[in-house]
């Protein structure tokens, strides 16, 4: 009788070993893996995840003033040229270039350049050493003052008046030495160009023809580095069709503006500048004269009282025709000439697929490197020294869907191909070249030496003498990036560093000088440098990573508009306004719609904007609910689903204290599920100590759908939320279930956290099972006990049958 017991014990032990990876000392994968930056912080105010710098919300920061002569712009180098650190003009790199663009519909009347320069000591007291060029034309020569002319930081500033006629829509400013460098000099003068240098411009608008072909100018110009500002004119109480058309239009401007951000405002009368009028035969702004409405009409005309300003009329006899006029604009289906058009029909558009937003890196197929970075930026020939090393770091920026599920063993394959050309064989210096690859500047995933051994060098030299061709070495590396390193950050980067060894300043100086004198001829091979070019056909493949995100997650909403941008055309999204929305609530809707357009890069042509009485029509969609605490009845009806117990209304007086979760209930919840964050107690609106909040929760109308609520104590307070979503610093602090916004400072945004309550997306059944078990210890042990019991019963039955057959004398 002991053998069956031992066998059962052995089978139980094997079962435990097989299922042990399901818990193996880890908590649920998503809270720990997806939000690594949150684990070290206090639950009430966790540290926000770090995002890479490019493509975040917020326009470039530069000063704009109005004067009698026009707009006065101050463009610092740190903004227009991304010169965040001082750049040196030095031997081996004796010029610095700055590229900047200007709007095509403005004329520069005056231009002043302010340079802040820090010369090296051996440059002091010498005259006429620096030359400034604008678009290859010399605009000034700079004499470096003696040491007494420098400030305490060792810098001096100079101002140059520039000829406005030299400025175009695309410009290049160059600072270089006046005389060719003396490469054999032991000490070579240097000068640093400070990023606080600036360009001051006075610009006036150019008269534009009333021609639809100029659109989207003057309302948007891709060369304008500032925030896009658009004014929509509607009736004082716009109907549902007008609101929906306005939301679709706002999402289009958000998609056009990208990281600059778009500020869309509405009003009931024409402003002093450019404006877009939305009207139907029954819903038209009072006091605004409209062109004849004969259908879905688009008209570009001059402002009736402001010369130079333009008014775009989007009109229809009813809401359907108005939306068709807006859709013709956002789909670029307007005629190539003429000031007006009537749109009868529009061609059908193929339905979009999930996760195909233009701003997101593709996850359905392998993505080529030249889709992330232009091919010309994937090469390095040693002309951009990093400090004193002949090296360069390139970054392949990716904006990924935040619902990529980063858990455990999944990896992202990278197929890296490159070609390396070494120094000429006549160069006696030892060859040094290497490549290093990192994800988000974390631990290196590839560190490879590109230099060849001496036997191979001899063979390559012999082959070059026979064939007289440049030696090229092809390398291929297959790398597996851990998915868990991605987190839920929208922005990720593959950082590739190429190092060609110690930087030889003299050799680089001779090379540049010789190339300067050769007038386009081929430089002498004796001064050629090694080069490494990454093949644009190299790929990174996310197609094997499932899409699932524990919700609610306001960081995903703030940074990528998720889950609303899962369908880039917003076909599964609706924005819900009060039945009688105030102007501030309409502006908040426009701000959210433009933010969703920025998140996807696609106009939300299928976005629905409804009022509360129409909520049943969009019950199956993801919802953004906007309103003040006293005007939006859904905040009261859905209070059980929200992280609020009640909301203040006019004259309600003080609210009771926040209810705390009893200790015994927390203890029982801890037995069932391992909590990462304490339960978020239902807050009273005033307990968050802020006039505006963003809250995320599961839709009461359909399980699995999300609701993001923008709530203001008053309608005017909603502007705090739209401003926070448009500001890079404050946006990074919006996380969790609930984020309160107290003021216009980054510190005024406070996130609140609890564990996820539902999910968005699908997981393979085995991954879902293991993930659920990893966070529920009681359920895990019940499953293990059930599995052991089932195996024991099966084993017992088999042994009993074996014993019966043995007693009967039948063969085994």
């Amino acid at each position: 009788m002991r053998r069956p017991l031992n066998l059962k014990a052995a089978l139980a032990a094997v079962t435990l070993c097989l299922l042990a990876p399901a818990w193996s000392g880890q908590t649920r994968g998503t809270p720990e893996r997806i939000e690594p930056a949150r684990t070290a912080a206090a639950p009430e105010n966790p540290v926000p995840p770090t995002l890479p710098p490019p493509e975040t919300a917020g326009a470039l920061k530069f000063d704009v003033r109005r004067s009698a002569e026009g707009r006065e712009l101050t463009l610092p180098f740190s903004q227009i040229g991304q010169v965040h650190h001082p750049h040196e003009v030095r031997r081996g790199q004796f010029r610095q270039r700055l590229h900047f663009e200007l709007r095509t519909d403005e004329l520069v009347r005056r231009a002043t350049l302010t340079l802040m320069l820090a010369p090296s000591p051996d440059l002091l007291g010498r005259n006429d050493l620096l030359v400034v060029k604008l678009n290859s034309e010399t605009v000034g020569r700079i004499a470096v003052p003696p040491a007494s002319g420098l400030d305490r930081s060792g810098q001096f500033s100079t101002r140059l008046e520039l000829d406005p006629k030299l400025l175009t829509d695309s410009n290049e400013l160059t600072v270089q030495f006046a005389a060719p460098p003396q490469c054999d000099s032991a000490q070579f003068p240097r000068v640093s160009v400070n990023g606080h240098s600036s360009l001051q411009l006075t610009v006036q608008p150019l008269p534009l023809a009333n021609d639809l072909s100029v659109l989207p100018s003057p309302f948007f110009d891709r060369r304008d580095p500032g925030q896009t500002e658009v004014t929509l004119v509607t009736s004082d109480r716009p109907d549902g069709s007008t609101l929906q058309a306005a939301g679709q239009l706002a999402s289009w401007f958000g998609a056009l503006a990208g990281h600059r951000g778009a500020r869309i405002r509405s009003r009931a009368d024409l402003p002093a500048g450019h404006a877009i009028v939305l009207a139907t035969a029954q819903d038209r702004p009072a006091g605004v004269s409209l062109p004849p409405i004969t259908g879905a009409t688009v008209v570009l005309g001059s402002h009736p009282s402001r010369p130079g300003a333009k008014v775009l009329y989007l009109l229809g006899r009813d809401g359907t025709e108005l939306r068709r006029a807006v859709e013709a604009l956002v789909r670029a289906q307007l005629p190539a000439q003429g000031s007006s058009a009537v749109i009868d029909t529009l061609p059908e558009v193929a339905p979009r697929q999930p996760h195909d937003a233009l701003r997101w890196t593709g996850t359905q197929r392998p993505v080529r490197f030249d889709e992330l970075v232009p091919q010309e930026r994937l090469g390095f020939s040693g002309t951009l020294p990093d400090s004193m090393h002949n090296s360069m770091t390139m970054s392949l920026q990716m904006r990924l869907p935040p619902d990529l599920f980063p858990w455990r063993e999944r990896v992202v394959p990278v197929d890296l191909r490159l070609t390396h050309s070494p120094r000429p064989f006549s160069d006696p210096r030892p060859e040094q070249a290497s490549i290093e690859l990192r994800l988000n500047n974390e631990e290196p995933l590839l560190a490879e030496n590109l230099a060849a051994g001496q036997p191979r060098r001899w063979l390559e030299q012999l082959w070059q003498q026979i064939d007289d061709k440049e030696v090229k070495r092809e390398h291929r590396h297959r790398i597996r990036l851990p998915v868990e390193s991605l987190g839920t950050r929208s922005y990720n980067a593959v950082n590739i560093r190429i190092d060609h060894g110690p930087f030889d300043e003299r050799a680089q100086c001779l090379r540049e000088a010789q190339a300067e004198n050769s007038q386009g001829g081929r430089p002498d091979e004796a001064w050629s440098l090694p080069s490494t070019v990454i093949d644009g056909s190299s790929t990174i493949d996310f197609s094997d990573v499932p899409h699932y995100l524990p919700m609610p997650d306001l960081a995903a909403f703030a940074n990528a508009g998720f889950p609303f941008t899962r369908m880039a055309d917003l076909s599964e999204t609706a924005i819900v306004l009060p039945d009688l929305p105030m102007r501030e609530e309409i502006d908040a809707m426009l701000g959210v719609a433009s933010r969703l357009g920025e998140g996807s890069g696609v106009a939300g042509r299928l976005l629905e904007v409804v009022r509360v009485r129409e909520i049943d029509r969009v019950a199956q969609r993801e919802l953004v609910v906007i309103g003040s605490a006293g005007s939006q009845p859904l905040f009261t009806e859905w209070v059980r689903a929200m992280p609020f117990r009640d909301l203040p209304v006019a004259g309600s007086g003080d609210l009771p204290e926040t209810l705390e979760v009893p200790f015994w209930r927390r203890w029982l919840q801890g037995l069932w599920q391992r909590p990462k964050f304490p339960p978020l107690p239902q807050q009273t609106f005033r307990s968050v100590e802020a006039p505006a909040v963003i809250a995320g929760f599961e839709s009461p109308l359909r399980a699995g759908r999300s609701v993001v609520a923008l709530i203001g104590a008053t309608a005017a307070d909603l502007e705090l939320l739209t401003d926070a979503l448009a500001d890079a610093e404050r946006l990074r602090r919006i996380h969790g279930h609930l984020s309160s916004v107290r003021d216009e400072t980054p510190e005024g945004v406070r996130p609140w956290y609890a564990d996820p309550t539902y999910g968005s997306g699908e997981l393979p059944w085995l991954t879902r099972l293991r993930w659920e078990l990893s966070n529920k210890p009681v359920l895990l042990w019940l499953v293990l006990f059930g599995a052991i019991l089932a195996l024991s019963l099966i084993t017992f039955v088999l042994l009993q049958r074996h014993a019966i057959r043995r007693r009967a004398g039948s063969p085994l």
Side-chain angles (χ1 to χ4, degrees), residues 163 206 218 245 264 379 469 508 521-522 681 732 752 810:
D163 185 356
L206 284 172
I264 318 295
K469 289 184 179 179
Q508 176 70 359
R522 183 178 178 181
R732 293 173 181 171
W752 304 71
S810 61

Side-chain angles (χ1 to χ4, degrees), residues 464-515:
Q464 186 185 38
Q465 293 172 353
I466 296 174
D467 199 27
D468 193 25
K469 289 184 179 179
E470 183 182 11
V471 173
K472 294 184 178 180
R473 303 174 190 152
E474 295 186 356
H475 298 257
R476 186 172 184 177
H477 305 278
R478 298 184 185 274
I479 309 153
R480 298 164 65 86
L481 305 181
V483 179
E484 61 186 12
S485 299
L486 297 175
T488 54
R489 294 173 292 192
S490 293
Y491 298 97
N492 288 268
V494 174
N495 310 109
I496 302 175
R497 178 180 175 84
I498 301 172
D499 195 334
H500 289 162
F503 177 63
D504 191 328
E505 191 175 13
R506 178 176 176 274
Q508 176 70 359
C509 178
L510 290 169
R511 174 179 169 81
E512 291 230 359
Q514 202 260 345

Side-chain angles (χ1 to χ4, degrees), residues 616-668:
D616 292 337
R617 181 160 60 89
V618 295
Q620 304 302 312
R621 294 187 173 219
E622 316 275 1
L623 303 177
V624 179
V625 182
I626 298 174
S628 60
S631 69
Q632 180 55 270
L634 292 181
F635 295 156
T636 303
E637 294 177 17
W638 293 353
V639 69
R640 292 185 178 274
M642 298 172 61
F644 284 111
R645 182 158 44 85
D646 46 18
L647 293 166
V649 295
S652 63
D654 294 333
L655 294 171
E657 296 295 325
T658 300
L659 296 176
E660 295 292 340
V661 179
F663 171 78
W664 65 268
R665 187 175 174 182
R666 293 201 306 268
W667 182 78
L668 288 179

Side-chain angles (χ1 to χ4, degrees), residues 8-24 780-788 791:
K8 287 189 287 186
L11 289 173
V14 171
T15 303
L16 286 173
C17 293
L18 291 175
L19 293 178
W23 76 95
S24 64
L780 175 62
W781 286 110
L782 288 176
V783 170
L784 289 176
F785 179 77
I788 294 170
L791 288 173

Side-chain angles (χ1 to χ4, degrees), residues 53 120 138 352 396 401 468 475 477 644 661 702 722 737 769:
S120 59
T138 300
R352 301 198 71 94
L396 278 65
D468 193 25
H475 298 257
H477 305 278
F644 284 111
V661 179
R702 184 181 177 186
T722 53
H737 279 53
L769 176 63

Side-chain angles (χ1 to χ4, degrees), residues 557 561-567 570 573 596 622-624 706 708:
F557 168 75
F562 190 86
F564 307 96
T565 49
R566 175 181 173 272
M567 300 298 293
L570 304 184
T573 297
L596 295 180
E622 316 275 1
L623 303 177
V624 179
S706 298
V708 170

